[in-house]
Amino acid sequence: MSSDLASSSAFEALSHKIETRSARAGVIGLGYVGLPLAIAIARSGFAVTGFDIDPKKIVHLDARRSYIDAVASDDLATEIDSGRFVATTDFGGLAACDVIIICVPTPLTKHRDPDLSYVEATSRAIADHLRPGQLVVLESTTYPGTTDDVVKAILETTGLRSGTDFFVGFSPEREDPGNQHYHTATIPKIVAGDGTLALSLMESFYGAAVKTVVPVSSNATAEAVKLTENIFRSVNIALVNELKTVYAAMGIDVWEVIEAAKTKPFGYMPFYPGPGLGGHCIPIDPFYLTWKSREYELPTRFIELAGEINSAMPRYVIGKLAEALDIRAGKALSRSRVLVLGLAYKKNVADIRESPSLRLMELIEERGGKADYHDPHVSEIPSTREYQHLKGRVSVTLSREVAAGYDAVLVATDHDRLDYQAIAESAPLIIDTRNVFARLGLSGDHIVKA
Ligand SMILES: NC(=O)c1ccc[n+]([C@@H]2O[C@H](COP(=O)([O-])OP(=O)(O)OC[C@H]3O[C@@H](n4cnc5c(N)ncnc54)[C@H](O)[C@@H]3O)[C@@H](O)[C@H]2O)c1
């Protein structure tokens, strides 16, 4: 059989399976991205197998218990009970999947280089079971070129060819944890493929599961779209963080400036300052592009400067805390007890990855102070790579008496489920990095913005 005929039959067969929803999807990596995606795909009528190397996750899923805020346990149970979703650690099941989606972590190494070891290991696991007529999609955030140069290259070691025997695509994830308005199925999805047949399969598969698909011309372009979105956030957050420090020195309130500036109906988009960047994406993804740019001998000064400014924020906040303790309470930070409010990196979620709150606690203790935390979403600090010494600390139960017992309360994350009025009335000194008290109309000499 000629290779063209083979390609067309592999494509036709998969196309037909997608159209009739008889294709089985496999989602590898059932975390913040993979689990909501697996459920959205199951909901659109496909049978889905979820794969993860963590057996604890499979135990939770089998018991119909979701461990991701964006997926309700009831919705998980519906998909499991209907037979459309099953989770396993057995990668042998990959052979039965027609569409395989990779949602594994893409962190940085200790030296802040891309760590593609999870993507590579997963690609090798897929290669072990690769057969003609499969579509393999990377969703993990990464530098332009990864899908074709790493994933496709590993899959082609089997002797099968991308674009004829099997198909390869990239579709970046755009989850926004805690967002009440948008979820996996309603966020427009960028899709790309290695060649026209792969792109066509990507459009029809994702078109079945999400409301809007946005095709682009190559996998590298789609990879660049994702990085552009996150670099845009990182740079703009760095800009308002810098403006915050400058305006504070001039006695100008940056939050008041932003509120007024955003009344301009065009040409301005509000970003808000804070205690530093957090989460798995914004502090990390920009450095994937920085790393790749070195290959082209091109500097990425904007990206690196933004990273520098954002990572200096926890230290700036601690400087403000020490100054306020000194001036307002006549107390040194080294002899103070500080309650950090909000451990998660953003409001109303439980995710503490890269959270600046951990760095704030560390800095307080490095200077001899004592740091506790309260977070309604995080009962205990789990094991983390960088803050192992904070592991096992538990969220203190918050009351007026407890708040009053600390020398200062430092608001790092403005969760909605906190009684800010009671905190304003009981804490002797408040450092507010989120402007939450002013937003709620609470003011006083003891509330200091930082
Ligand atoms: N969290 C977000 O909001 C978000 C948004 C956009 C993009 N992303 C990107 O999506 C990717 C995944 O991020 P996440 O937040 O879902 O991570 P996560 O840590 O929540 O989930 C990853 C999952 O992959 C599993 N895993 C690790 N190695 C594996 C392997 N070899 N085989 C199978 N499973 C494996 C882990 O056990 C975990 O359950 C990353 O590239 C990230 O940058 C995340």
Side-chain angles (χ1 to χ4, degrees), residues 276-354:
L277 287 184
H280 182 44
C281 297
I282 317 283
I284 291 172
D285 301 348
F287 296 101
Y288 268 69
L289 191 64
T290 294
W291 180 86
K292 189 66 181 169
S293 305
R294 278 188 224 136
E295 203 178 298
Y296 297 83
E297 293 181 10
L298 287 171
T300 49
R301 291 197 293 269
F302 246 97
I303 298 173
E304 282 166 80
L305 180 60
E308 222 174 273
I309 293 172
N310 288 326
S311 15
M313 275 308 115
R315 215 172 259 288
Y316 171 81
V317 169
I318 295 304
K320 285 279 177 195
L321 166 70
E323 184 184 283
L325 278 165
D326 189 14
I327 294 172
R328 287 161 203 259
K331 205 157 178 189
L333 176 54
S334 59
R335 289 187 294 109
S336 301
R337 292 176 67 238
V338 181
L339 181 64
V340 174
L341 279 191
L343 198 74
Y345 78 93
K346 72 186 272 193
K347 69 192 285 180
N348 306 332
V349 304
D351 190 350
I352 65 155
R353 289 180 293 176
E354 310 290 323

Side-chain angles (χ1 to χ4, degrees), residues 219-241:
N219 287 331
T221 305
E223 289 161 334
V225 171
K226 175 67 189 179
L227 290 184
T228 302
E229 292 168 4
N230 284 355
I231 290 165
F232 174 78
R233 289 193 63 74
S234 166
V235 166
N236 280 287
I237 292 168
L239 175 64
V240 286
N241 276 333

Side-chain angles (χ1 to χ4, degrees), residues 28-34 51-54 57 67-68 91 102-107 117-119 121-122 139-142 172-177 226 230 280-281 285 345 351 353:
I28 309 181
L30 299 172
Y32 286 90
V33 165
F51 300 89
D52 206 290
I53 46 167
D54 180 358
K57 289 211 165 70
Y67 43 82
I68 299 285
F91 284 64
I102 306 171
C103 303
V104 296
T106 42
S117 59
Y118 300 87
V119 170
T122 305
E139 287 231 5
S140 304
T141 307
T142 183
E173 191 47 59
R174 283 171 157 173
E175 279 299 309
D176 183 19
K226 175 67 189 179
N230 284 355
H280 182 44
C281 297
D285 301 348
Y345 78 93
D351 190 350
R353 289 180 293 176

